[in-house]
Amino acid sequence: MRIELPFDEAVRLGTLRSPLPALVQSLRCEGSTVFADVDLRALHTDSFLFALALAAAGSVAVAAAFTGFEDGVATFALTAHARGLPAHRLVPFLLSQVNEGIERSGVPTGVVEVTAGVPDPLVRVAVQAAVNTIAEGVTVQDFRLTDGVLVLEATIGSIRLLAPDAPNPVDSAS
């Protein structure tokens, strides 16, 4: 099965069960790049120094350029600017805090991860794992983001939709 969804429609589908995390102030796509304005003050942390740094950074303009899809995971090169400074250069030093913040914001465990990359950090979106939080029986074979449209190639087997409060298959697989 081939599914093509304009980015805005994909976001609406992706947020049926829960809204975007509060820290995401805006989200849009141009070409193969996703742009977001992220308010880092909405991240919760137990570290006073990290909270102070987040407050100082305030809102961050993020660009995530699609770079490929392999083994169920879409990869995006990340750049971010806070107050005109290249904040993405700091991400490799804050990976655990960034990933903890993503998880605390409500994204299912294992679906989105930020990793160090060369030259820029990478955002890895486990597309298959995200699908698995909603339904069983769908295998994602390919994923692309082109001209603001998500193109998904999937094999459909015996589908079983999961209840909104069902355990996350990503969590139970680990």
Side-chain angles (χ1 to χ4, degrees):
M1 170 185 277
R2 179 183 175 100
I3 301 169
E4 293 188 24
L5 282 173
F7 181 79
D8 292 339
E9 291 179 21
V11 170
R12 282 197 295 277
L13 277 176
T15 56
L16 283 174
R17 287 191 174 170
S18 61
L20 286 171
L23 65 135
V24 179
Q25 301 297 301
S26 69
L27 190 63
R28 63 185 171 79
C29 181
E30 291 179 18
S32 62
T33 302
V34 177
F35 296 93
D37 288 317
V38 178
D39 185 356
L40 295 180
R41 294 169 291 203
L43 283 176
H44 300 286
T45 179
D46 295 331
S47 165
F48 173 74
L49 291 177
F50 192 55
L52 192 60
L54 294 174
S59 185
V60 177
V62 175
F66 179 69
T67 59
F69 180 79
E70 188 175 334
D71 297 326
V73 178
T75 306
F76 296 80
L78 178 72
T79 57
H81 290 82
R83 303 189 192 280
L85 299 173
H88 58 279
R89 301 288 183 214
L90 300 174
V91 169
F93 302 105
L94 304 168
L95 286 176
S96 64
Q97 294 93 336
V98 169
N99 286 316
E100 286 171 13
I102 290 169
E103 192 171 320
R104 285 183 186 164
S105 70
V107 175
T109 302
V111 172
V112 177
E113 178 186 24
V114 179
T115 63
V118 178
D120 297 321
L122 298 174
V123 176
R124 298 184 188 280
V125 179
V127 177
Q128 182 64 58
V131 169
N132 291 348
T133 66
I134 299 168
E136 294 176 347
V138 178
T139 303
V140 178
Q141 296 174 315
D142 193 25
F143 172 95
R144 291 183 306 282
L145 177 58
T146 308
D147 297 327
V149 176
L150 293 169
V151 179
L152 186 78
E153 297 278 345
T155 302
I156 307 298
S158 180
I159 296 179
R160 183 174 75 91
L161 294 178
L162 300 175
D165 57 351
N168 181 348
V170 175
D171 292 337
S172 56
S174 35

